[in-house]
Amino acid sequence: MRLSRYFLPILKENPKEAEIVSHRLMLRAGMIRQQSAGIYSWLPLGLRVLRKIERIVEEEQARAGAIQVLMPTIQPADLWRESGRYDAYGKEMLRIADRHERDLLFGPTNEEMITDIFRAYVRSYKDLPLNLYHIQWKFRDEVRPRFGIMRGREFLMKDAYSFDVDKEAARHAYNRMFVSYLRTFTRMGLKAIPMKAETGPIGGDMSHEFIILASTGESEVYCDKALLDLETPAADTDFFSDLTPIVEAWTAPYAATDEMHDPAAFETLAESARVSARGIEVGHIFYFGTKYSDPMGAKVATGDGNEVPVHMGSYGIGVSRLVGALIEANHDEAGIIWPASVAPFHVGLVNLKPGDGPTDAASEDLYGKLTAAGVEVLYDDTDTRAGAKFATMDLIGLPYQVVAGPRGLKDGVVEVKNRASGEKELLSPDAVVNKLVPALTA
RNA sequence: CGGGGUAUAGCGCAGCCUGGUAGCGCAUCUGGUUUGGGACCAGAGGGUCGCAAGUUCGAAUCUUGCUGCCCCGACCA
């Protein structure tokens, strides 16, 4: 993409409403625009990151056997009356009436609707297990939206719903999502730690929040340092084998959020093993049994001919929140530092002197070769000053910057800068291609 | 929902106390000089001063009401 033909509205100054670093950087980097409290437009750069995150989530959901659907944002109130939640939900639910005065709502979540879909088609245990998910915009009318995209009223969420014939089968479904989440967050360059969460009326041990550590996190969390070094399950993990050993390895060490924290248990860890930090919740999985299938009549026939309400679980990932969380975890004074897997572009190619023959030729050549090799390049071909170009590149945080100018090209080299480490090296254009293509297209 | 702020050009702000018809920096446009870490000079465009009532000869400025947004707390993915 040529910057001269792109839409990247950078702000030099800090908007005063943005207090938290991710919010500030997203506004400054031209990723989002606030339209109302907790409601944002996604500008091109922000949208690209959102899509990168979605793609990773989709790939890992597929690997774990979940199947994608898409349910509407607007739901009929009657479904929620069946589950009893229409009255129970409170003011966070945005209620709407259509022209016929029928009660609708902007969905804050989708248990009722997915249960309705399930009961319409599935009758037999032979069709299980089943896990359906979608990635859709949700709305919760928060009293006080804040932290930019991290705590908006409208937010993009992946929510999956599992259906199984009994609790034991549901536990396998739960484990698949558990392992899938470990892989999903690791691929985004995040260290997400599963922490036991409150299970509400169901009870049991099947509810975890996935928390990433960031100094600006919203809540206090505590865990065993050992969790930070555990190995993420490999891509070729068989999700339909017994995943219990993996889940146990990840749930054995101490890990708890503020609400679930047990200081006495935490104190039994060696001083050096105690990690107490701030965290951001990016995922939440839980088993809720027949809470919805029962009142809504979602039943399947078992092998012995009985009909039983299906056992369900739900599994959320805050997709739009992750954009903010990623920035909270990856930034410095100059701006964002994207992990390559979610970066809006891989490389920022800076032409220091548009109009200069050799510089243009070298830049165009690099742009063509990198792009042809599958590297996503944002090519700054604009006629502005070097300092402004560098500042913009640092701000938007692409993993690599390639700087081509007359001075270096006299000696046949361009500069490659690693945004994360700050390391710079001078390489010939061909060497740049040889270095970056394998690093970014693996 | 309690408490506290704030609202003036795209962004950041001054002006308000002491009423006289709006200004600064950045950004934008034109011309020139510049050009390897957010250039300089000269000129230009851009604002129903959040909205509505009131006081006054006259309101960005004083009064009242409303609304938006932000922060702290309670709540939440």
Side-chain angles (χ1 to χ4, degrees), chain A residues 282-323:
Chain A
V282 290
H284 194 169
I285 61 177
F286 54 97
Y287 163 77
F288 50 74
T290 60
K291 182 175 176 185
Y292 300 96
S293 54
D294 219 359
M296 294 184 67
K299 294 179 195 162
V300 290
T302 58
D304 56 16
N306 289 322
E307 274 202 326
V308 297
V310 72
H311 285 248
M312 298 173 60
S314 81
Y315 314 89
I317 289 179
V319 175
S320 51
R321 165 178 281 194
L322 269 166
V323 181

Side-chain angles (χ1 to χ4, degrees), chain A residues 10-29:
Chain A
I10 296 288
L11 303 179
K12 266 172 85 168
E13 291 176 273
N14 281 322
K16 67 169 173 185
E17 74 268 19
E19 205 74 3
I20 195 167
V21 64
S22 60
H23 189 194
R24 203 160 60 224
L25 290 174
M26 287 181 78
L27 290 168
R28 287 200 50 213

Side-chain angles (χ1 to χ4, degrees), chain A residues 160-191:
Chain A
Y161 303 90
S162 66
F163 302 90
D164 289 276
V165 70
D166 58 27
K167 184 170 180 183
E168 261 327 286
R171 179 178 294 276
H172 291 302
Y174 184 89
N175 289 349
R176 283 195 288 279
M177 285 292 114
F178 188 104
V179 172
S180 169
Y181 277 31
L182 293 175
R183 286 194 46 75
T184 300
F185 297 124
T186 295
R187 282 188 59 186
M188 293 173 196
L190 292 171
K191 196 61 105 177

Side-chain angles (χ1 to χ4, degrees), chain A residues 50-68 131 133-135 158 160 176-177 179-188 233-237 239-240 317 319 340-342 346 376 441-442:
Chain A
L50 206 55
R51 294 286 183 245
K52 291 278 176 85
I53 294 172
E54 282 186 89
R55 193 165 318 146
I56 291 173
V57 169
E58 286 167 358
E59 287 172 12
E60 294 303 325
Q61 288 292 291
R63 203 190 300 279
I67 302 161
Q68 192 168 22
N131 183 322
Y133 81 98
H134 76 339
I135 297 176
K158 186 284 299 188
R176 283 195 288 279
M177 285 292 114
V179 172
S180 169
Y181 277 31
L182 293 175
R183 286 194 46 75
T184 300
F185 297 124
T186 295
R187 282 188 59 186
M188 293 173 196
D236 61 0
T237 300
F239 277 81
F240 288 87
I317 289 179
V319 175
S341 61
V342 292
H346 297 131
E376 296 171 349
T441 58

Side-chain angles (χ1 to χ4, degrees), chain A residues 345-368:
Chain A
F345 295 91
H346 297 131
V347 172
L349 172 61
V350 176
N351 180 336
L352 280 180
K353 194 164 186 180
D356 176 68
T359 309
D360 284 348
S363 300
E364 292 287 342
D365 190 53
L366 265 171
Y367 179 52

